[in-house]
Amino acid sequence: MEQNNYFEALLYMLRVIVYADGIFDDEEIKAIKEICNREKISDEYYRNFVESTRGFSEKQMYQTGIDLVQVCTLDEQLKIFAWLYKIAEVDGKVHVKEVRFLLYSLRHTDIEFAHVEAKAKELPAIGA
């Protein structure tokens, strides 16, 4: 299956942010599936991603994800961070580690947090 840098970057970064608070709950699982559906990431693609990253450390997941983000277009990067912003809220509480992760990751791009917030408002609700 051909790799799509946007899909891969999004999936890596989603996995890192949902583990940031130490809990990967049912709401976050459901939200990732919703994002995959909205982004037209097939179940097979997602399953292959999960299988290929089994055993990766958080550091490996993050570094691979941020490297992939950097080869995405500016629009793709903005959309990735907007989805991350939305998934951080999905369990009803935004954990400080999730915020820190998001802000730290933005430093690797030319995107401002205000633009992420604005883009997140354009995206459909998840986990509702």
Side-chain angles (χ1 to χ4, degrees), residues 14 17-35 46 87-93 95 98 126-127:
L14 285 170
I17 201 166
V18 297
Y19 285 114
D21 62 2
I23 303 164
F24 188 27
D25 65 28
D26 290 340
E27 287 300 311
E28 291 168 326
I29 293 168
K30 181 180 168 196
I32 287 177
K33 289 184 184 284
E34 284 183 49
I35 292 169
Y46 181 70
I87 203 163
E89 301 175 317
V90 82
D91 61 2
K93 53 196 174 297
H95 194 276
E98 293 169 332
I126 56 172

Side-chain angles (χ1 to χ4, degrees), residues 1-16:
M1 182 175 295
E2 184 178 326
Q3 177 179 329
N4 177 312
N5 288 333
Y6 171 71
F7 287 175
E8 295 285 311
L10 177 61
L11 293 174
Y12 273 101
M13 299 303 277
L14 285 170
R15 292 291 294 269
V16 175

Side-chain angles (χ1 to χ4, degrees), residues 32-72:
I32 287 177
K33 289 184 184 284
E34 284 183 49
I35 292 169
C36 286
N37 286 337
R38 294 187 186 281
E39 291 297 325
K40 310 260 187 287
I41 300 172
S42 71
D43 289 341
E44 179 186 6
Y45 194 102
Y46 181 70
R47 276 193 307 275
N48 288 338
F49 169 80
V50 169
E51 186 59 36
S52 70
T53 58
R54 195 172 310 281
F56 276 34
S57 68
E58 181 180 0
K59 184 178 180 179
Q60 285 175 293
M61 293 289 282
Y62 176 76
Q63 192 57 57
T64 303
I66 206 67
D67 288 347
L68 286 162
V69 165
Q70 291 174 331
V71 297
C72 289

